PDB file of all heavy atoms in Angstrom:
ATOM      1  N   PHE A  23     -48.387-100.463 128.938  1.00  0.00           N
ATOM      2  CA  PHE A  23     -47.490-100.400 127.784  1.00  0.00           C
ATOM      3  C   PHE A  23     -46.684-101.682 127.754  1.00  0.00           C
ATOM      4  O   PHE A  23     -46.497-102.328 128.791  1.00  0.00           O
ATOM      5  CB  PHE A  23     -46.504 -99.220 127.912  1.00  0.00           C
ATOM      6  CG  PHE A  23     -47.147 -97.873 127.793  1.00  0.00           C
ATOM      7  CD1 PHE A  23     -47.691 -97.244 128.885  1.00  0.00           C
ATOM      8  CD2 PHE A  23     -47.196 -97.223 126.566  1.00  0.00           C
ATOM      9  CE1 PHE A  23     -48.283 -95.996 128.790  1.00  0.00           C
ATOM     10  CE2 PHE A  23     -47.787 -95.979 126.456  1.00  0.00           C
ATOM     11  CZ  PHE A  23     -48.336 -95.359 127.568  1.00  0.00           C
ATOM     12  N   ASP A  24     -46.188-102.039 126.569  1.00  0.00           N
ATOM     13  CA  ASP A  24     -45.246-103.151 126.551  1.00  0.00           C
ATOM     14  C   ASP A  24     -43.846-102.606 126.301  1.00  0.00           C
ATOM     15  O   ASP A  24     -43.652-101.416 126.071  1.00  0.00           O
ATOM     16  CB  ASP A  24     -45.657-104.248 125.565  1.00  0.00           C
ATOM     17  CG  ASP A  24     -45.524-103.907 124.102  1.00  0.00           C
ATOM     18  OD1 ASP A  24     -44.828-102.931 123.757  1.00  0.00           O
ATOM     19  OD2 ASP A  24     -46.106-104.634 123.284  1.00  0.00           O
ATOM     20  N   ARG A  25     -42.873-103.482 126.374  1.00  0.00           N
ATOM     21  CA  ARG A  25     -41.469-103.070 126.278  1.00  0.00           C
ATOM     22  C   ARG A  25     -41.086-102.569 124.887  1.00  0.00           C
ATOM     23  O   ARG A  25     -40.044-101.956 124.713  1.00  0.00           O
ATOM     24  CB  ARG A  25     -40.562-104.208 126.722  1.00  0.00           C
ATOM     25  CG  ARG A  25     -40.833-104.599 128.164  1.00  0.00           C
ATOM     26  CD  ARG A  25     -39.939-105.666 128.706  1.00  0.00           C
ATOM     27  NE  ARG A  25     -40.490-106.272 129.906  1.00  0.00           N
ATOM     28  CZ  ARG A  25     -40.686-105.674 131.064  1.00  0.00           C
ATOM     29  NH1 ARG A  25     -40.409-104.410 131.197  1.00  0.00           N
ATOM     30  NH2 ARG A  25     -41.182-106.302 132.100  1.00  0.00           N
ATOM     31  N   ARG A  26     -41.949-102.824 123.890  1.00  0.00           N
ATOM     32  CA  ARG A  26     -41.730-102.307 122.531  1.00  0.00           C
ATOM     33  C   ARG A  26     -42.367-100.932 122.335  1.00  0.00           C
ATOM     34  O   ARG A  26     -42.269-100.351 121.268  1.00  0.00           O
ATOM     35  CB  ARG A  26     -42.315-103.264 121.490  1.00  0.00           C
ATOM     36  CG  ARG A  26     -41.704-104.647 121.500  1.00  0.00           C
ATOM     37  CD  ARG A  26     -42.385-105.553 120.500  1.00  0.00           C
ATOM     38  NE  ARG A  26     -43.824-105.598 120.766  1.00  0.00           N
ATOM     39  CZ  ARG A  26     -44.743-105.921 119.881  1.00  0.00           C
ATOM     40  NH1 ARG A  26     -44.409-106.227 118.654  1.00  0.00           N
ATOM     41  NH2 ARG A  26     -46.020-105.943 120.213  1.00  0.00           N
ATOM     42  N   VAL A  59     -46.018-102.174 132.928  1.00  0.00           N
ATOM     43  CA  VAL A  59     -45.210-102.419 131.722  1.00  0.00           C
ATOM     44  C   VAL A  59     -45.093-103.929 131.592  1.00  0.00           C
ATOM     45  O   VAL A  59     -44.543-104.603 132.463  1.00  0.00           O
ATOM     46  CB  VAL A  59     -43.819-101.761 131.818  1.00  0.00           C
ATOM     47  CG1 VAL A  59     -43.001-102.094 130.578  1.00  0.00           C
ATOM     48  CG2 VAL A  59     -43.947-100.251 131.980  1.00  0.00           C
ATOM     49  N   VAL A  60     -45.620-104.457 130.497  1.00  0.00           N
ATOM     50  CA  VAL A  60     -45.672-105.909 130.288  1.00  0.00           C
ATOM     51  C   VAL A  60     -44.767-106.296 129.119  1.00  0.00           C
ATOM     52  O   VAL A  60     -44.276-105.443 128.387  1.00  0.00           O
ATOM     53  CB  VAL A  60     -47.121-106.371 130.037  1.00  0.00           C
ATOM     54  CG1 VAL A  60     -48.003-106.055 131.239  1.00  0.00           C
ATOM     55  CG2 VAL A  60     -47.692-105.744 128.783  1.00  0.00           C
ATOM     56  N   ASP A  61     -44.551-107.588 128.956  1.00  0.00           N
ATOM     57  CA  ASP A  61     -43.671-108.058 127.881  1.00  0.00           C
ATOM     58  C   ASP A  61     -44.226-107.749 126.492  1.00  0.00           C
ATOM     59  O   ASP A  61     -43.487-107.333 125.615  1.00  0.00           O
ATOM     60  CB  ASP A  61     -43.409-109.559 128.010  1.00  0.00           C
ATOM     61  CG  ASP A  61     -42.474-109.871 129.163  1.00  0.00           C
ATOM     62  OD1 ASP A  61     -41.661-108.993 129.538  1.00  0.00           O
ATOM     63  OD2 ASP A  61     -42.573-110.988 129.715  1.00  0.00           O
ATOM     64  N   GLU A  62     -45.530-107.987 126.300  1.00  0.00           N
ATOM     65  CA  GLU A  62     -46.084-107.768 124.964  1.00  0.00           C
ATOM     66  C   GLU A  62     -47.587-107.524 125.036  1.00  0.00           C
ATOM     67  O   GLU A  62     -48.298-108.189 125.784  1.00  0.00           O
ATOM     68  CB  GLU A  62     -45.800-108.983 124.074  1.00  0.00           C
ATOM     69  CG  GLU A  62     -46.119-108.755 122.625  1.00  0.00           C
ATOM     70  CD  GLU A  62     -45.589-109.858 121.717  1.00  0.00           C
ATOM     71  OE1 GLU A  62     -44.916-110.784 122.200  1.00  0.00           O
ATOM     72  OE2 GLU A  62     -45.861-109.780 120.514  1.00  0.00           O
ATOM     73  N   LEU A  63     -48.035-106.556 124.233  1.00  0.00           N
ATOM     74  CA  LEU A  63     -49.459-106.263 124.055  1.00  0.00           C
ATOM     75  C   LEU A  63     -49.799-106.451 122.581  1.00  0.00           C
ATOM     76  O   LEU A  63     -48.917-106.334 121.718  1.00  0.00           O
ATOM     77  CB  LEU A  63     -49.764-104.811 124.442  1.00  0.00           C
ATOM     78  CG  LEU A  63     -49.717-104.451 125.917  1.00  0.00           C
ATOM     79  CD1 LEU A  63     -49.797-102.939 126.095  1.00  0.00           C
ATOM     80  CD2 LEU A  63     -50.850-105.124 126.679  1.00  0.00           C
ATOM     81  N   ARG A  87     -38.304-104.927 118.596  1.00  0.00           N
ATOM     82  CA  ARG A  87     -38.093-106.337 118.229  1.00  0.00           C
ATOM     83  C   ARG A  87     -38.597-106.573 116.839  1.00  0.00           C
ATOM     84  O   ARG A  87     -39.485-105.995 116.364  1.00  0.00           O
ATOM     85  CB  ARG A  87     -38.839-107.255 119.170  1.00  0.00           C
ATOM     86  CG  ARG A  87     -38.209-107.336 120.519  1.00  0.00           C
ATOM     87  CD  ARG A  87     -38.883-108.381 121.305  1.00  0.00           C
ATOM     88  NE  ARG A  87     -39.601-107.687 122.376  1.00  0.00           N
ATOM     89  CZ  ARG A  87     -40.340-108.274 123.268  1.00  0.00           C
ATOM     90  NH1 ARG A  87     -40.524-109.544 123.248  1.00  0.00           N
ATOM     91  NH2 ARG A  87     -40.933-107.608 124.215  1.00  0.00           N
TER      92      ARG A  87
END
Side-chain angles (χ1 to χ4, degrees):
F23 291 86
D24 71 16
R25 299 183 197 295
R26 299 177 304 157
V59 177
V60 299
D61 287 334
E62 190 169 357
L63 289 170
R87 287 188 248 179

